[in-house]
Amino acid sequence: NLIGNKVPIYINEDTFNGKDIKRAVKAAVEEQYGENPIAYERFQQLDKTEKVLLIDDYYKIMPRYIPAIEDYLISTFGLIVVITKPKWNYDIIESVKEKLAGGEKAQKFSLLPFYAPKRQKLIENLYSLNSVDCDPDKVYIASKRINEFIKDQVRLFSLNPQFISMYVGYCTRKNDLESNTSNIFGKVFEDNLVHSMRKVSPNTIDEYLFLLEEIAYEIHFKENYPISEIDLSKIIERYNIDYTMAVSLRAFCDVMLKAKVFKEEDANFSFYSNNYLAYFVAKSLNTRYNNGYDNNELEIIADNLCFNINGDILLFLSYITSNMKILKHIQVKSEEHMADWEEYCRQ
């Protein structure tokens, strides 16, 4: 909503994607507040003090572009929060202090480790946002149950804020505060992807999920990345013939882009996140091995574990599979890899 005391805008390196800073901010406003000219016009009419910018991955911007970016942001936004890595050879405070008007100041803060009390508070806030029941007592009780379950099942969880956010969303959508499945990571990951796609298109999700597996397999094992619209069209056409379906390339791409599963540049497509790519490669391998197809892909991944996203593929595969052949292969390769590690040598 563009009406309120403060109007926040979020941008990161994906928002830039070849755009200059003015176009990047415009794209972010339209994406977050409505894809129409009126939203951006209203944003421009706001007083500077009402505009808040959160900019992530600032250190990934090439240094020669930063001065012009800072000039525009300081003149446009009343509050700017910049997130960067701790060790970066660029002093933001020194760079901007001469550009600030009277009364404006720059400060540096460090994010401390994410311990249990902060996790509890995060879960409460997320639960309030995701649940229709915002009664404070009920929110606290439900959040505490989720937090206790996470603490008791820590081996199943990635305890970073992003995954916790995904898990709380999963719990509220499924009305399940203490899921006891050992495949919780895979279920939560896929549920959030499906939820994003259903908001754009409630139908054809199963077909799209299978196509994402095929596309990810093609990308990774044929080193075809980013993948062109022509190659996407071939995969979809093959799928339509094999399964007597009628999936439209344009409809598929529209859903993937709007759900932020894909991003596009110059008629080439890539996954919005390498985690998405790794997940669907893992899903594809699991499907293939369960159907009796084995083209030595596991051997290739395990032998090249430190390259590209192979480690993440194997991690996702270990979460989502119940195929003993796959799990045994991972075990054998792990033992081979750590055979010379003194702490793992068998007596």
Side-chain angles (χ1 to χ4, degrees), residues 71-85:
D71 290 342
Y72 173 74
L73 296 181
I74 290 171
S75 67
T76 304
F77 291 89
L79 176 63
I80 303 168
V81 179
V82 173
I83 300 174
T84 185
K85 62 182 180 181

Side-chain angles (χ1 to χ4, degrees), residues 229-274:
E229 187 171 312
I230 292 172
D231 287 336
L232 272 182
S233 177
K234 290 177 181 177
I235 294 172
I236 292 174
E237 183 178 351
R238 186 169 65 239
Y239 170 79
N240 285 337
I241 293 171
D242 289 346
Y243 295 95
T244 321
M245 302 298 292
V247 175
S248 157
L249 169 67
R250 182 41 49 199
F252 173 77
C253 291
D254 284 347
V255 171
M256 294 305 114
L257 292 169
K258 289 177 181 176
K260 293 187 178 179
V261 179
F262 281 176
K263 51 188 176 182
E264 178 186 10
E265 185 173 3
D266 299 328
N268 291 308
F269 295 84
S270 54
F271 279 86
Y272 202 81
S273 157
N274 279 337

Side-chain angles (χ1 to χ4, degrees), residues 28-75:
V29 171
E30 291 174 348
E31 179 182 333
Q32 294 161 44
Y33 292 100
E35 295 184 6
N36 60 73
I38 296 175
Y40 186 62
E41 288 175 13
R42 287 179 177 172
F43 172 77
Q44 288 181 301
Q45 293 167 5
L46 294 173
D47 189 82
K48 173 182 172 178
T49 58
E50 297 177 87
K51 300 174 187 175
V52 177
L53 178 71
L54 175 63
I55 180 167
D56 203 357
D57 299 327
Y58 197 62
Y59 65 93
K60 294 182 180 179
I61 299 172
M62 297 183 70
R64 68 174 181 268
Y65 297 133
I66 290 179
I69 289 172
E70 289 175 344
D71 290 342
Y72 173 74
L73 296 181
I74 290 171
S75 67

Side-chain angles (χ1 to χ4, degrees), residues 7-227:
V7 176
I9 304 294
Y10 171 82
I11 63 175
N12 59 14
E13 63 166 336
D14 292 322
T15 316
F16 281 96
N17 197 23
K19 306 180 184 75
D20 65 29
I21 184 59
K22 292 182 181 179
R23 289 175 58 211
V25 169
K26 182 176 185 291
V29 171
E30 291 174 348
E31 179 182 333
Q32 294 161 44
Y33 292 100
E35 295 184 6
N36 60 73
I38 296 175
Y40 186 62
E41 288 175 13
R42 287 179 177 172
F43 172 77
Q44 288 181 301
Q45 293 167 5
L46 294 173
D47 189 82
K48 173 182 172 178
T49 58
E50 297 177 87
K51 300 174 187 175
V52 177
L53 178 71
L54 175 63
I55 180 167
D56 203 357
D57 299 327
Y58 197 62
Y59 65 93
K60 294 182 180 179
I61 299 172
M62 297 183 70
R64 68 174 181 268
Y65 297 133
I66 290 179
I69 289 172
E70 289 175 344
D71 290 342
Y72 173 74
L73 296 181
I74 290 171
S75 67
T76 304
F77 291 89
L79 176 63
I80 303 168
V81 179
V82 173
I83 300 174
T84 185
K85 62 182 180 181
K87 295 181 180 179
W88 186 35
N89 59 353
Y90 183 82
D91 191 334
I92 300 176
I93 303 295
E94 188 65 29
S95 174
V96 303
K97 67 181 184 181
E98 299 297 328
K99 302 176 183 180
L100 298 176
E104 295 180 329
K105 60 182 179 180
Q107 295 177 288
K108 184 183 292 186
F109 298 91
S110 297
L111 294 176
L112 298 175
F114 193 67
Y115 295 126
K118 287 184 180 178
R119 187 173 70 229
Q120 172 66 30
K121 187 62 179 175
L122 173 65
I123 293 170
E124 288 179 26
N125 291 339
L126 291 169
Y127 191 88
S128 296
L129 290 171
N130 284 282
S131 176
V132 293
D133 190 347
C134 294
D135 177 80
D137 291 335
K138 291 182 179 179
V139 168
Y140 176 77
I141 292 170
S143 301
K144 191 169 181 61
R145 283 178 62 191
I146 293 173
N147 199 18
E148 288 296 322
F149 177 73
I150 290 174
K151 185 176 70 175
D152 292 342
Q153 303 292 330
V154 67
R155 66 184 177 84
L156 302 178
F157 282 86
S158 170
L159 292 181
N160 63 66
Q162 181 183 18
F163 182 71
I164 290 173
S165 175
M166 291 167 63
Y167 180 65
V168 174
Y170 172 83
C171 287
T172 53
R173 283 193 295 275
K174 300 294 184 182
N175 195 27
D176 180 5
L177 303 184
E178 298 169 347
S179 178
N180 59 6
T181 176
S182 59
N183 183 22
I184 188 63
F185 192 94
K187 285 187 176 296
V188 169
F189 199 87
E190 185 162 310
D191 178 77
N192 277 267
L193 279 169
V194 169
H195 180 65
S196 298
M197 287 188 274
R198 284 199 191 283
K199 288 196 293 186
V200 180
S201 174
N203 303 314
T204 66
I205 297 300
D206 290 340
E207 290 90 341
Y208 286 178
L209 289 173
F210 183 80
L211 275 169
L212 288 169
E213 291 183 27
E214 295 296 298
I215 292 163
Y217 184 92
E218 167 98 9
I219 285 170
H220 191 67
F221 291 104
K222 296 186 181 179
E223 298 182 359
N224 183 11
Y225 202 50
I227 190 167

